[in-house]
Amino acid sequence: MSSPSTPMPHSVTRRGPPPACSTSSLTVGRLSRTAGRRLSAPVGCVGQARRLERDIPSRHVRAWSARPRSRLTTQLKGEEMKLATFEHDGEILHGVIEGDRIAVAGPGDLRAVIEGAPLERTGQVISVDAVRILAPLTNPGKVVAVAANYQEHVIEGGDRPREKSTATPRLFLKPDTTVVGDDAEVEIASITTQLDWEAELAVVVGHLAKDVSETEALNFVFGYSTSNDISARNLVTGAARDGEAATDFFDWLAGKWLDGSAPFGPYVVTTDEILDPQKLAITLTVNGEPKQLGNTADMIHSVAEIISFTSRLMTLRPGDIILTGTPAGVGMATGTYLNPGDVVVAEIEGLGALTSRIVAPRNRG
């Protein structure tokens, strides 16, 4: 375990218009404590100073949403904002990732920061190798997910392409017990023999949102992260299936609810670093073998459209997570499923790599 190094300067608030953003290409890396893996390289976008406004009553949401956004303050000019939750010496903390170190910002996960608390460094800096990275939100609010949001994924599942003019986002919810962090073990539950992967862009809601327009929707985002909507493609219930459409649907839905089936992380990148969430490459490998290669540009419903539609159905709160769908390349298309010992790495451009380690069902007798 490494000792804390030289204290870092506290947060600095900058006022005035945000600086221009670099057009240099984004690079992707991965965060882990194991040798041979690294933190993601700089995304090339100059950090913009923005403060995080606190929640306001829902009756004021529409009026507020038309105002110019202000957002979380960056620490220093030009610095990326990669915010992580981690465990160190038995304590859960949150902080800012800087290369192979984490500048501690306070106790607990990122919820308080997302809800409006200031992000201020304590002066303590810890090596990444000395901590266990957790999900950015260890106890999130709602986890909303979107099905069939990439045409090629729809087609590989045997369905006809969706006609967007008559389509709306297909939403479903995942329990909070599905959320785990980077490098977590994901158990193949005894109720399934077909566990599958789905790399997805995760959106972290930063403000109370109800009935927001598509043009305003991205104002309500705190940041983005990498996720994997791990899915059971069959259920071993001991009961014969009747073949009815409703039974098939609810079996599919229940297959989204397994414990640990929403890995999320390794960190959250604030919105000032991701200028366009519709221009991000998505990849996934199993044991190093490429399985998925897509881009958020291929979404049927954009992030803004998903947020707007969702907010018409339910109130979105700070700390809610939205999983935005997966591109083609899932195991179901080829009848290939996860086995104990498999290592799954989902990676999104500028957001880092998320590792999941598949393990056999545990004996709870």
Side-chain angles (χ1 to χ4, degrees):
M1 183 174 296
S2 302
S3 300
S5 57
T6 305
M8 300 297 291
H10 290 270
S11 60
V12 178
T13 303
R14 294 187 288 110
R15 302 295 183 185
C21 223
S22 167
T23 58
S24 60
S25 61
L26 305 182
T27 57
V28 183
R30 60 186 61 176
L31 171 64
S32 179
R33 299 168 302 288
T34 55
R37 300 173 63 199
R38 59 180 175 82
L39 289 167
S40 62
V43 296
C45 182
V46 176
Q48 300 175 356
R50 298 176 177 179
R51 63 178 176 81
L52 182 64
E53 296 183 10
R54 293 186 177 275
D55 291 350
I56 55 177
S58 58
R59 65 182 179 274
H60 299 317
V61 166
R62 291 183 212 178
W64 173 86
S65 64
R67 301 175 191 168
R69 259 193 312 185
S70 61
R71 190 43 74 188
L72 189 65
T73 304
T74 57
Q75 267 53 36
L76 294 170
K77 183 176 180 181
E79 182 183 20
E80 293 182 284
M81 286 299 290
K82 294 176 179 159
L83 306 180
T85 297
F86 58 95
E87 182 181 4
H88 179 251
D89 285 347
E91 184 179 8
I92 295 178
L93 304 165
H94 65 272
V96 182
I97 293 177
E98 302 170 324
D100 60 357
R101 302 185 300 172
I102 301 179
V104 179
D109 68 6
L110 290 171
R111 175 171 290 280
V113 175
I114 292 170
E115 291 178 344
L119 181 75
E120 297 180 351
R121 304 185 193 198
T122 65
Q124 182 183 16
V125 178
I126 305 173
S127 168
V128 169
D129 291 334
V131 309
R132 182 168 71 96
I133 297 295
L134 304 176
L137 285 161
T138 58
N139 186 25
K142 295 184 289 294
V143 181
V144 182
V146 184
N149 198 33
Y150 288 76
Q151 292 289 20
E152 291 196 4
H153 176 54
V154 172
I155 294 169
E156 74 176 351
D159 294 327
R160 291 179 299 177
R162 300 186 66 201
E163 175 52 57
K164 185 171 180 178
S165 64
T166 59
T168 55
R170 294 178 177 175
L171 305 181
F172 60 96
L173 295 172
K174 293 176 73 80
D176 58 2
T177 50
T178 62
V179 176
V180 293
D182 181 49
D183 217 36
E185 292 185 344
V186 176
E187 179 183 349
I188 302 177
S190 59
I191 199 170
T192 186
T193 59
Q194 299 178 354
L195 198 66
D196 204 351
W197 57 83
E198 293 189 3
E200 307 198 7
L201 172 68
V203 177
V204 178
V205 177
H207 296 287
L208 198 71
K210 179 63 178 176
D211 289 332
V212 302
S213 69
E214 292 176 14
T215 57
E216 298 171 342
L218 295 184
N219 292 343
F220 293 83
V221 177
F222 175 84
Y224 302 97
S225 190
T226 303
S227 65
N228 187 353
D229 179 20
I230 294 177
S231 306
R233 303 301 188 189
N234 73 335
L235 297 183
V236 182
T237 64
R241 315 321 284 156
D242 55 21
E244 292 185 5
T247 301
D248 290 344
F249 170 75
F250 282 104
D251 281 358
W252 171 87
L253 183 60
K256 299 288 189 175
W257 296 342
L258 303 183
D259 290 351
S261 65
F264 162 54
Y267 43 74
V268 174
V269 177
T270 51
T271 54
D272 53 339
E273 303 298 338
I274 303 297
L275 298 185
D276 186 352
Q278 305 304 149
K279 293 182 179 180
L280 305 176
I282 302 178
T283 64
L284 183 141
T285 63
V286 177
N287 301 327
E289 180 181 350
K291 298 293 186 180
Q292 289 186 279
L293 176 61
N295 195 291
T296 58
D298 297 327
M299 287 183 185
I300 297 170
H301 304 285
S302 69
V303 171
E305 291 167 344
I306 292 167
I307 293 171
S308 176
F309 180 76
T310 305
S311 76
R312 294 171 61 192
L313 296 170
M314 65 190 83
T315 299
L316 293 171
R317 299 181 182 277
D320 287 348
I321 302 169
I322 302 175
L323 312 185
T324 56
T326 195
V330 300
M332 179 180 61
T334 59
T336 305
Y337 299 104
L338 295 170
N339 296 297
D342 285 345
V343 177
V344 183
V345 179
E347 193 163 9
I348 297 183
E349 186 176 14
L351 303 181
L354 173 69
T355 297
S356 302
R357 301 184 183 279
I358 310 303
V359 299
R362 294 183 174 90
N363 184 356
R364 293 178 172 85

